[in-house]
Amino acid sequence: MKNNIIIIGSGFSSLAASCYLAKAGYNVTILEKNQTIGGRARQLKKNGFTFDIGPTWYWMPDVFERFFADFNKKPSDYYTLDKLSPAYSVYFGKNDLITIEDSLDKISETFEANEKGSSKSLDKFISKAKDNYDIAIKDLVYNPGVSPLELVSFTTITRLNQFLTNVKQDIRKLFKNDKLRKILEFPVLFLGAKPSNTPSFYNFMNYADFGLGTFHPKKGMYQVILAMENLAKELGVIINTNASVNKINVENEVAISVESNNVVYQADIILSGADYWHTETLLDEKYRQYSQKYWEKKVFAPSALLFYVGFDKKVKNVEHHTLFFDVDFDVHATAIYDKPQWPEDPLFYASFPSITDNSTAPKGKEAGIFLIPLAPGIEDTEDLRETYFNKIISRLENLTSQKVTEHILFKESFCVKDFEKDYNSFKGNAYGMANTLMQTAFLRPKLKSKKVKNLYFTGQLTVPGPGVPPSLISGKLVSELISKHH
């Protein structure tokens, strides 16, 4: 008889796991608390505008290809991918910006123009990053994080020193120009920690950035969620929305069912792609592996203040992805990681998908998504949101030499409280748990419960870590673990 599997949540990792498990012959039902699927990658539609609520960067296209290939499919069976050209721009001051083009050759020229001789250093740095990418993405991250031995192979032993040095040190040794340093430090922020706390091995993110490039799925990242939903349904997965799970029932240390909306769903196996910490609160205390103290001590990736803005005209002097690094990065990082507080002058990021995708805004108008990284768990009020919106919009106007405030048709915001309410996210974090040295691989919370049989976890708080590609991989890893044990 086929085992029944209940999956809690419908983000990238849950959807990925559902596909693999259905393909392996299990009966799979997904229970999603929100009205629509996608977890953090939901969508907002308003007045003819379409916004991705969560992730807006499509990096590591090979991971998506590898996922769909496991089902004899291709991403292009479901959505159209455009390579962004340029990939993004970074503002360091008024009329002072560096644009990152869509090929390594062009990026080398940009580096050389800003620091003589730096193209050689870049070449060296990226070729090392590519080596690490090949090891990490083709090999290491596809390990379930069960044992330290997974990290031990001839290739990793020769790179052991790269777990003892950090990305910031490496970059500062090779490059003198502060702007170039900041551009190279930016990709590891996706891993949720400061460059000074991120092992050198993770420089493979720089290869993802410069070597592989930045893409945009037509109509937005939500198309990837819809693609995975289609695939899951083709494989027989049942998806129920508005189905918040409020209890996981355990008998004789075996997970047997979940409760949602006064309905009890019997299950042979329970897999949670919801926030790990939250999932454990659905268990009686004696069955929790990790105490509140454990979570409090962990380094969490940032939360974020996000705005979704409809403009009644086109915004000038910006790219599809534009970073605003015109303030001190280290000061903002301190406000996120060391002394959690609202940053006086935040770095921020803006995405204008309608620059390359006219399906995201009405003709002649612009869709803008703005993100300020914040410490998780800090105070979140409407007044603070408004204050920070005004700060970043006035900086945008000043740096790009234009007025946009009077062209705002509407804005919606999303912050710490919303991450908590919509995703049961620990302290309202946006990206899970940071990939620091002590939170890498087998040192992360486990895919399989140590205290409850037949209970499993997936997503950004477990292996391999934060980000969309790692979430797809996490779904694959947990499904393999389940298949092996059942």
Side-chain angles (χ1 to χ4, degrees):
M1 209 172 77
K2 288 181 177 179
N3 279 344
N4 285 329
I5 298 186
I6 294 290
I7 299 182
I8 304 169
S10 67
F12 281 108
S13 53
S14 294
L15 286 172
S18 78
C19 294
Y20 286 112
L21 291 165
K23 184 188 170 194
Y26 298 94
N27 291 322
V28 183
T29 302
I30 289 176
L31 301 178
E32 165 55 56
K33 80 183 274 288
N34 292 312
Q35 248 176 329
T36 54
I37 64 157
R40 283 165 165 77
R42 292 178 304 152
Q43 196 178 50
L44 168 67
K45 288 189 166 198
K46 186 167 180 170
N47 304 353
F49 291 82
T50 302
F51 305 89
D52 281 314
I53 292 179
T56 50
W57 292 77
Y58 190 105
W59 269 6
M60 305 189 188
D62 49 324
V63 175
F64 295 86
E65 283 160 19
R66 190 163 166 176
F67 168 75
F68 285 107
D70 284 341
F71 305 92
N72 297 319
K73 303 276 187 189
K74 302 189 291 293
S76 58
D77 294 335
Y78 298 98
Y79 53 89
T80 307
L81 214 49
D82 291 323
K83 188 170 190 185
L84 293 183
S85 174
Y88 55 90
S89 274
V90 188
Y91 270 93
F92 294 99
K94 197 175 171 72
N95 304 321
D96 178 8
L97 80 161
I98 291 179
T99 297
I100 296 302
E101 298 290 348
D102 62 349
S103 77
L104 202 43
D105 288 346
K106 292 183 202 164
I107 296 167
S108 286
E109 285 170 24
T110 303
F111 266 60
E112 197 59 35
N114 282 276
E115 181 187 323
K116 209 158 174 42
S118 65
S119 60
K120 281 194 177 61
S121 302
L122 183 66
D123 203 36
K124 200 164 115 186
F125 182 72
I126 295 295
S127 85
K128 200 172 183 180
K130 182 187 186 312
D131 280 355
N132 286 349
Y133 188 88
D134 289 341
I135 293 161
I137 302 304
K138 296 192 171 71
D139 185 14
L140 270 193
V141 291
Y142 286 92
N143 284 322
V146 173
S147 142
L149 295 173
E150 292 168 3
L151 285 179
V152 181
S153 69
F154 177 71
T155 34
T156 50
I157 291 287
T158 58
R159 286 169 169 73
L160 209 52
N161 64 326
Q162 290 193 43
F163 286 94
L164 305 173
T165 53
N166 66 58
V167 167
K168 185 170 185 162
Q169 287 169 336
D170 292 356
I171 289 168
R172 289 185 183 244
K173 261 187 229 150
L174 287 169
F175 303 92
K176 304 276 177 289
N177 182 296
D178 201 45
K179 293 173 195 171
L180 300 182
R181 285 170 165 181
K182 281 180 178 155
I183 288 170
L184 287 165
E185 284 173 1
F186 143 71
V188 301
L189 297 177
F190 283 112
L191 300 170
K194 288 196 292 192
S196 56
N197 284 343
T198 303
S200 300
F201 183 74
Y202 286 109
N203 68 12
F204 65 72
M205 292 296 287
N206 292 102
Y207 175 70
D209 178 2
F210 288 2
L212 296 172
T214 304
F215 296 79
H216 172 73
K218 266 206 171 61
K219 297 188 182 171
M221 284 293 278
Y222 198 63
Q223 295 308 303
V224 188
I225 291 289
L226 296 177
M228 294 174 79
E229 177 190 32
N230 276 336
L231 178 58
K233 286 181 170 171
E234 284 167 26
L235 293 161
V237 176
I238 294 164
I239 300 176
N240 296 340
T241 50
N242 294 315
S244 187
V245 171
N246 52 320
K247 184 88 172 82
I248 297 172
N249 294 315
V250 177
E251 226 170 66
N252 303 325
E253 298 180 359
V254 179
I256 55 161
S257 63
V258 302
E259 292 174 25
S260 168
N261 301 338
N262 299 320
V263 177
V264 175
Y265 292 82
Q266 299 297 331
D268 299 300
I269 295 153
I270 295 163
L271 166 60
S272 179
D275 181 281
Y276 205 125
W277 158 80
H278 167 73
T279 304
E280 290 221 312
T281 67
L282 305 176
L283 293 161
D284 293 340
E285 201 158 330
K286 61 180 174 183
Y287 295 125
R288 297 173 196 170
Q289 308 165 84
Y290 305 106
S291 65
Q292 190 66 17
K293 213 182 202 162
Y294 168 91
W295 295 112
E296 296 284 351
K297 279 187 177 156
K298 292 293 155 193
V299 181
F300 270 79
S303 185
L305 169 56
L306 289 139
F307 295 100
Y308 312 99
V309 186
F311 295 96
D312 69 6
K313 67 159 194 174
K314 287 300 203 185
V315 178
K316 297 190 310 243
N317 305 331
V318 288
E319 297 299 344
H320 182 126
H321 294 302
T322 308
L323 303 166
F324 293 85
F325 283 9
D326 53 309
V327 296
D328 192 317
F329 175 84
D330 292 330
V331 174
H332 186 166
T334 299
I336 296 174
Y337 297 103
D338 307 328
K339 295 179 189 147
Q341 58 185 295
W342 281 82
E344 192 51 46
D345 295 308
L347 286 84
F348 68 99
Y349 150 68
S351 174
F352 302 96
S354 42
I355 287 176
T356 50
D357 184 348
N358 55 22
S359 73
T360 57
K363 199 171 167 44
K365 299 180 178 169
E366 201 87 88
I369 300 166
F370 297 85
L371 181 153
I372 301 172
L374 294 174
I378 58 172
E379 183 191 11
D380 169 17
T381 65
E382 285 306 318
D383 283 356
L384 279 165
R385 293 185 190 198
E386 196 56 33
T387 301
Y388 278 80
F389 182 72
N390 295 333
K391 275 188 188 208
I392 63 174
I393 287 296
S394 68
R395 272 179 38 214
L396 170 83
E397 290 184 326
N398 173 42
L399 293 166
T400 63
S401 310
Q402 67 190 313
K403 288 271 172 261
V404 295
T405 308
E406 57 267 37
H407 295 281
I408 293 172
L409 295 167
F410 65 84
K411 73 170 189 296
E412 300 272 343
S413 66
F414 199 95
C415 196
V416 175
K417 280 182 180 165
D418 302 297
F419 281 104
E420 289 174 342
K421 178 173 71 73
D422 288 3
Y423 312 127
N424 295 311
S425 158
F426 183 72
K427 289 188 169 178
N429 79 80
Y431 307 105
M433 213 156 98
N435 263 338
T436 58
L437 178 61
M438 297 313 291
Q439 295 182 174
T440 285
F442 64 94
L443 297 169
R444 297 178 72 76
K446 301 285 182 246
L447 291 167
K448 184 178 192 291
S449 172
K450 298 187 290 251
K451 289 195 173 179
V452 179
K453 268 198 180 131
N454 302 352
L455 176 60
Y456 294 83
F457 301 84
T458 187
Q460 52 189 15
L461 289 184
T462 178
V463 290
V468 177
S471 294
L472 293 182
I473 294 166
S474 188
K476 179 173 188 168
L477 293 177
V478 79
S479 60
E480 287 171 349
L481 210 56
I482 290 170
S483 299
K484 200 167 115 183
H485 288 278
H486 303 273

